[in-house]
């Protein structure tokens, strides 16, 4: 069986058939998925009943797996899953639904803001691979916004204005914007802002895209309120419905998205229900801009 991809949205997103992710992939299959990712930026694979080990093995076809450290407030002894996997569930280490006022849960609510995974790391993420082990069907959609199309639709004057801009990204900013806190002294160090270009160029297709994320707190050299207003305006533009595809989860879906080309967010759902989602994340190849020590 060969891989086929059906486009799901006028601009992007594809549904893949003809592949079993539990089996080792041939070089041709890996190349077909990569090519599909370059074009569609998000790919949906239905009916993939995989284990953590199978997810990790499949993910390694696309690069190095980012370790799930420095990206949450979960204490090491409270982790439910291995460090190869980001726990995007609403569960504690005993597989119980997190309490409403649980710090982990409140921190994870930040995933409902439009963002790009790991934009708060100096070397940000390439792909995210999210496996729906136990899904909710009433709410809990993952929405994707095409940052290439959003860039293309900007006025030429705006494109010129933003071309060389550099933003500071941090979990302190995204979580702070929701009123989460206070942060511990250790978290303040771990979540120190990093710099990212506002306009990225895809290494394979050469397409430009807006590198937006709720993790952005300022633009280098700008007054912070002006930067936040400007970024909010760009984000409103970039998340218009015409740029957005909503994925409604089915049991055992695996969805891959390219964080270099998209933003995403999860939508609300009934949190008394179990939602067990597990993410592997592929590291990007390099920073988008040189880092500087914070003054
Ligand atoms: Fe995310």
């Amino acid at each position: 069986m060969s891989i086929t991809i059906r486009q799901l949205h006028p601009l992007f997103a594809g549904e893949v058939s003809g592949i079993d992710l539990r089996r080792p992939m041939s070089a041709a299959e890996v190349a077909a998925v990569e090519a599909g990712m370059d074009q569609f930026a998000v790919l949906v694979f239905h009916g993939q009943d995989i284990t953590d080990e199978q997810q990790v093995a499949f993910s390694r076809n696309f690069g190095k797996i980012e370790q799930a450290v420095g990206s949450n407030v979960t204490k090491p002894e409270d982790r439910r899953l291995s460090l190869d996997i980001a726990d995007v569930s609403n569960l504690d280490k005993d597989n119980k639904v997190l309490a409403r006022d649980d710090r982990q849960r409140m921190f994870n609510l930040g995933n409902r803001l439009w963002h790009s995974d790991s934009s708060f790391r100096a070397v940000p993420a390439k792909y995210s691979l999210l496996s729906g082990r136990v899904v909710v069907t009433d709410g809990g959609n993952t929405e994707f916004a095409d940052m290439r199309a959003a860039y293309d639709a900007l006025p030429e004057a705006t494109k010129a204005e933003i071309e060389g801009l550099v933003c500071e990204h941090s979990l302190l900013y995204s979580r702070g914007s929701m009123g989460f806190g206070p942060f511990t002294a250790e978290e303040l160090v771990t979540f120190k802002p990093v710099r990212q270009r506002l306009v990225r160029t895809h290494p394979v297709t050469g397409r430009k895209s807006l590198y937006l994320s709720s993790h952005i707190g300022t633009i280098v050299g700008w007054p912070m309120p002006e930067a936040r207003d400007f970024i909010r305006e760009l984000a409103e533009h970039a998340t218009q419905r015409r740029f957005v595809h909503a994925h409604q989860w089915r049991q055992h879906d695996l969805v891959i998205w390219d964080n270099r080309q998209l933003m995403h967010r999860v939508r609300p759902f009934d949190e008394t229900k179990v939602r067990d989602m597990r993410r592997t994340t592929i590291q990007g190849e390099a920073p988008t801009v040189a880092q500087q020590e914070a003054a």
Side-chain angles (χ1 to χ4, degrees):
M1 239 173 133
S2 65
I3 293 176
T4 55
I5 303 177
R6 179 174 75 89
Q7 190 159 343
L8 296 171
H9 181 281
L11 294 169
F12 70 122
E15 181 185 69
V16 182
S17 51
I19 188 165
D20 179 348
L21 305 188
R22 295 171 301 186
R23 301 211 163 83
M25 305 248 292
S26 69
E29 286 174 318
V30 174
V33 172
E34 291 254 15
M37 288 298 297
D38 291 342
Q39 181 180 352
F40 296 104
V42 52
L43 292 177
V44 176
F45 303 73
H46 295 299
Q48 304 292 338
D49 184 4
I50 52 174
T51 63
D52 288 359
E53 292 70 27
Q54 287 164 339
Q55 181 172 347
V56 166
F58 172 66
S59 300
R60 288 206 171 110
N61 288 302
F62 307 106
K64 196 169 167 209
I65 294 183
E66 185 185 281
Q67 297 297 286
V69 292
S71 53
N72 54 59
V73 296
T74 309
K75 298 189 187 83
E77 63 270 27
D78 290 337
R79 284 194 61 81
R80 192 174 67 106
L81 307 172
S82 87
L83 287 174
D84 283 334
I85 299 187
D87 192 349
V88 199
S89 75
N90 60 344
L91 304 172
D92 68 14
K93 67 175 189 300
D94 301 317
N95 289 307
K96 298 273 189 312
V97 170
L98 293 166
R100 186 176 188 183
D101 62 349
D102 186 284
R103 200 162 180 267
Q104 257 177 264
R105 176 204 173 242
M106 292 191 289
F107 188 86
N108 291 342
L109 283 173
N111 291 323
R112 297 189 188 178
L113 304 174
W114 285 108
H115 66 282
S116 176
D117 285 336
S118 296
S119 74
F120 51 82
R121 297 186 194 273
V123 176
K126 176 187 175 188
Y127 297 162
S128 292
L129 301 89
L130 189 57
S131 167
R133 306 298 175 83
V134 179
V135 305
V136 293
T137 50
D138 186 12
N141 288 354
T142 302
E143 292 186 342
F144 300 95
D146 187 339
M147 294 299 103
R148 307 166 301 182
Y151 176 84
D152 290 345
L154 288 171
E156 291 305 317
T158 308
K159 287 181 184 168
E161 183 180 11
I162 65 176
E163 181 63 30
L165 294 182
V166 174
C167 298
E168 289 194 357
H169 295 235
S170 169
L171 285 159
L172 301 174
Y173 295 137
S174 53
R175 273 47 184 180
S177 78
M178 300 187 80
F180 178 89
F183 293 95
T184 65
E186 190 182 347
E187 287 163 359
L188 290 172
V189 173
T190 303
F191 299 154
K192 196 170 75 112
V194 303
R195 294 182 168 192
Q196 307 289 2
R197 283 185 186 288
L198 182 52
V199 179
R200 297 188 75 165
T201 302
H202 192 275
V204 178
T205 66
R207 279 191 78 178
K208 287 187 175 178
S209 60
L210 279 172
Y211 194 30
L212 290 171
S213 187
S214 61
H215 304 308
I216 295 175
T218 196
I219 299 169
V220 175
W222 286 39
M224 187 180 270
E226 186 183 349
R228 294 220 180 169
D229 177 64
F230 188 76
I231 294 296
R232 182 181 49 76
E233 290 282 350
L234 280 180
E236 281 183 16
H237 159 79
T239 56
Q240 294 174 69
R241 295 319 292 180
R242 64 184 164 125
F243 301 132
V244 172
H245 172 70
H247 176 67
Q248 184 170 16
W249 288 89
R250 297 185 209 163
Q251 194 76 18
H252 303 314
D253 279 349
L254 181 119
V255 178
I256 313 181
W257 63 88
D258 187 342
N259 290 292
R260 302 167 303 183
Q261 310 198 72
L262 304 179
M263 278 205 291
H264 64 281
R265 65 174 179 176
V266 64
R267 304 299 289 142
F269 59 96
D270 177 357
E271 288 185 75
T272 63
K273 302 249 179 5
V274 170
R275 184 176 189 265
D276 189 350
M277 315 293 283
R278 305 185 187 198
R279 193 187 84 207
T280 37
T281 314
I282 307 301
Q283 264 182 18
E285 279 158 16
T288 64
V289 68
Q291 300 299 311
Q292 253 180 349
E293 284 306 309

